[in-house]
Amino acid sequence: MSHRTVESPDLPQGQKSLLPLTRIRASLLKFYDQHKRDLPWRTSTGRPPTYHVLVSELMLQQTQVVTVIAYFNRFIAAFATLTDLARADEQQVLRLWQGLGYYSRARNLHRCAKAIVLDHAGVIPSDVATLLTLPGIGPYTAGAIASIAFDKPAAIVDGNVMRVISRLDALTADPRQKPASLRIWARAGELVPQDRAGDFNSALMELGATICTPKSPKCLVCPVQQECKALAKGIVDRIPPPKVPKDKRVEKRDVLCISQTAHGVTRWLVEQRPSKGRWAGMWQFVTRDAADRPHIDSLHITHLGQITHELTHRSYEFDVWRVMCEGAETSLPTSAISCTRWASASDLDALPMPRPHVRIRELIGI
Ligand code: SF4
């Protein structure tokens, strides 16, 4: 592919003779200097603290910036340093992550902090190869830490970068598929400059988040419009191709909100999920597959309603039942539960719970 420039009368005089690669870099860095968003993990001057880059990049995987900000601030307030995080209890880490979803990221970040303390004397590595050996660090996060925290010319490709590069190069293939993805990674590696690599990568992502958006991109104000082949060909709205919708599996669950009151304090029976799988290690009201509805005739039970929860490939339907049970703990349907406890409302505040169960708390008013 040739990237020799086609002279454009709209370009500033000084940029007309530059190769497209150089112009793209210069335009994006200028755009970033002028328009970068003020975010808590960025500093106005110099490089941000490496630990802040690590935390923010793990949080930003599959989550939008606007959602992450409050979580990041709370997390850093609780664990000011990597060592604080490494020493933390996993339940506290999960509690601070509660609501952000994709909880394996929280457990991986915690394991990553421990591994850095144990194997790297508490110093976050700066090279991509070593970063890739750490729990939860894939090519994107390794490139982000190496470039943003250490200014090394490492490529990064997230959803925003995929879209921007696909449009710049008029790539009509699906970037979620391996051949196109490899091509985009190679192009990202070609684009990243030796100097200000972190700012350049941040600029690419910033462009995708604010200008080259999935729908209605603002091409008129785009700093790289002169280099954009999709714009020149009039095919911006076809890139990237839309996702093929998949049929979602529907999972039906019964949730039994079982309480007992003694000495004026109401406590709720909750169970801890297994240490592997979705919402691992988090706490929930007693939850069973709706096909295995337990026999609870002897208890007073009321249907409170249904809560649905959408994930990428799956939908959950939770039928919520209120079960009054005074002093009959041994007769409760808990035989299949490995770890249960009775928890007051204030106890529940300290336990990490999956989002649907937080909503169930709201439904039953505790
Ligand atoms: Fe994206 Fe439009 Fe800029 Fe091309 S010109 S990179 S499509 S915003």
Side-chain angles (χ1 to χ4, degrees):
M1 185 192 326
S2 168
H3 297 300
R4 285 274 153 197
T5 185
V6 176
E7 292 295 342
S8 163
D10 299 334
L11 277 172
Q13 196 61 37
Q15 288 197 25
K16 280 186 184 177
S17 60
L18 298 177
L19 290 171
L21 199 64
T22 312
R23 286 208 310 247
I24 289 172
R25 288 171 179 161
S27 301
L28 280 176
L29 285 169
K30 188 175 169 198
F31 159 76
Y32 187 66
D33 288 340
Q34 291 175 341
H35 301 288
K36 73 174 175 184
R37 288 172 290 178
D38 188 16
L39 299 173
W41 50 88
R42 284 180 182 163
T43 50
S44 50
T45 54
R47 289 181 209 150
T50 316
Y51 171 58
H52 289 192
V53 176
L54 173 70
V55 173
S56 62
E57 289 302 333
L58 264 290
M59 286 187 168
L60 285 164
Q61 290 171 9
Q62 291 153 308
T63 309
Q64 293 196 334
V65 164
V66 67
T67 307
V68 165
I69 291 173
Y71 282 90
F72 175 85
N73 286 334
R74 278 197 295 269
F75 204 87
I76 296 298
F79 312 120
T81 66
L82 183 94
T83 311
D84 294 336
L85 175 58
R87 287 192 187 130
D89 181 79
E90 187 185 270
Q91 290 282 294
Q92 197 192 352
V93 175
L94 288 171
R95 180 65 185 83
L96 283 163
W97 207 275
Q98 180 176 294
L100 202 50
Y102 301 100
Y103 294 92
S104 59
R105 295 178 300 170
R107 282 187 296 277
N108 280 333
L109 175 58
H110 193 211
R111 286 169 53 220
C112 181
K114 287 180 179 178
I116 292 168
V117 167
L118 202 62
D119 302 331
H120 301 277
V123 179
I124 298 174
S126 63
D127 65 289
V128 168
T130 312
L131 285 162
L132 284 171
T133 66
L134 295 169
I137 306 289
Y140 165 78
T141 312
I145 294 170
S147 63
I148 297 171
F150 297 102
D151 217 19
K152 294 198 169 183
I156 62 175
V157 176
D158 69 348
N160 284 322
V161 175
M162 272 194 177
R163 186 171 56 258
V164 171
I165 290 183
S166 292
R167 287 174 175 170
L168 277 174
D169 287 356
L171 303 176
T172 51
D174 187 346
R176 304 163 203 98
Q177 303 297 323
K178 191 112 185 188
S181 163
L182 289 175
R183 186 168 169 184
I184 290 167
W185 269 97
R187 182 74 163 124
E190 186 187 30
L191 284 169
V192 68
Q194 292 294 317
D195 292 329
R196 298 193 66 195
D199 284 350
F200 176 81
N201 282 338
S202 298
L204 258 184
M205 292 189 286
E206 196 90 346
L207 186 80
T210 61
I211 303 281
C212 193
T213 46
K215 288 186 183 147
S216 309
K218 304 173 187 73
C219 301
L220 280 177
V221 295
C222 176
V224 287
Q225 59 172 255
Q226 298 289 346
E227 324 301 331
C228 182
K229 293 190 171 73
L231 183 66
K233 292 181 176 181
I235 56 171
V236 170
D237 58 349
R238 286 168 37 200
I239 298 177
K243 279 185 191 166
V244 180
K246 285 185 184 163
D247 286 342
K248 279 191 182 180
R249 203 163 103 195
V250 179
E251 306 271 2
K252 295 177 186 285
R253 300 282 186 270
D254 279 322
V255 180
L256 306 177
C257 300
I258 302 168
S259 71
Q260 57 180 12
T261 302
H263 310 297
V265 178
T266 299
R267 289 189 168 79
W268 302 83
L269 189 64
V270 288
E271 57 187 10
Q272 190 173 27
R273 293 182 62 83
S275 58
K276 291 202 178 343
R278 178 159 295 127
W279 301 313
M282 301 182 85
W283 292 80
Q284 62 186 16
F285 295 102
V286 175
T287 302
R288 295 291 176 269
D289 194 314
D292 303 328
R293 185 164 290 175
H295 291 289
I296 45 179
D297 301 343
S298 60
L299 303 173
H300 179 62
I301 183 164
T302 317
H303 187 239
L304 294 180
Q306 191 180 71
I307 283 195
T308 56
H309 186 69
E310 300 294 331
L311 296 173
T312 315
H313 303 297
R314 199 164 293 199
S315 294
Y316 281 95
E317 289 178 8
F318 295 97
D319 271 300
V320 184
W321 304 85
R322 177 84 163 86
V323 183
M324 309 292 280
C325 159
E326 298 308 320
E329 190 173 346
T330 53
S331 66
L332 295 174
T334 61
S335 57
I337 304 168
S338 59
C339 182
T340 63
R341 61 174 285 190
W342 291 92
S344 66
S346 61
D347 294 335
L348 291 176
D349 288 341
L351 296 178
M353 298 182 89
R355 177 74 190 137
H357 287 264
V358 172
R359 291 172 58 205
I360 290 167
R361 276 191 74 180
E362 291 163 9
L363 184 69
I364 56 181
I366 56 169

